[in-house]
Amino acid sequence: MNIYEHTYIAVPEANKKDMESIESKIEEIVKKSSGKICKIEDWGLRNLAYPIKKNNKGYYRNLYLEGDSKTIRAIEEFEKFNDKVIKYLSMKIKNLPKEDSELAKEKK
């Protein structure tokens, strides 16, 4: 199993229920492929560097997960057609970070 860092941005109008719905679907996809979510960081509502789909802000979430490339493709396929997600990015990493990211620390 590989370790991935996956970040997605949801529309600023997304409420708590929408965010939980996205999280639960991602969790379902990961569990179905016998992977696991190691860590979730909520970076909160932040300004975007440039407008995306007419939005200037977005809710950022960062996940660290174990899985294979099929798992990541399935997550990205789900997010591609979800109207609450405006952008996403997945990266394969070597090790799980020991500390929270700077953005997660900033939110606390």
Side-chain angles (χ1 to χ4, degrees):
M1 292 264 169
N2 297 315
I3 300 172
Y4 293 92
E5 179 177 3
H6 178 76
T7 305
Y8 68 90
I9 306 169
V11 293
E13 300 85 34
N15 56 31
K16 190 174 183 178
K17 185 180 174 187
D18 294 331
M19 297 301 284
E20 288 173 357
S21 168
I22 294 167
E23 287 293 323
S24 64
K25 181 62 178 175
I26 291 172
E27 198 170 308
E28 180 185 315
I29 292 168
V30 171
K31 283 183 180 176
K32 206 179 279 184
S33 65
S34 67
K36 72 174 187 175
I37 296 177
C38 304
K39 190 176 179 182
I40 299 174
E41 294 179 345
D42 182 14
W43 293 348
L45 184 65
R46 307 183 60 81
N47 290 324
L48 300 173
Y50 54 89
I52 303 171
K53 297 183 183 175
K54 299 181 182 176
N55 293 296
N56 293 317
K57 292 183 179 228
Y59 281 106
Y60 283 70
R61 283 283 174 108
N62 191 44
L63 306 146
Y64 294 98
L65 50 97
E66 286 182 14
D68 54 14
S69 61
K70 289 180 185 175
T71 307
I72 295 300
R73 268 188 255 126
I75 291 170
E76 289 179 349
E77 189 73 19
F78 157 70
E79 291 173 338
K80 183 180 195 177
F81 296 108
N82 187 319
D83 58 342
K84 299 293 181 187
V85 177
I86 56 177
K87 204 76 164 170
Y88 54 87
L89 176 69
S90 301
M91 295 186 309
K92 187 175 173 181
I93 56 176
K94 292 183 182 192
N95 301 336
L96 198 61
K98 293 181 182 9
E99 295 182 14
D100 287 344
S101 66
E102 291 299 318
L103 292 173
K105 289 177 188 175
E106 182 182 298
K107 177 116 168 52
K108 289 181 182 178

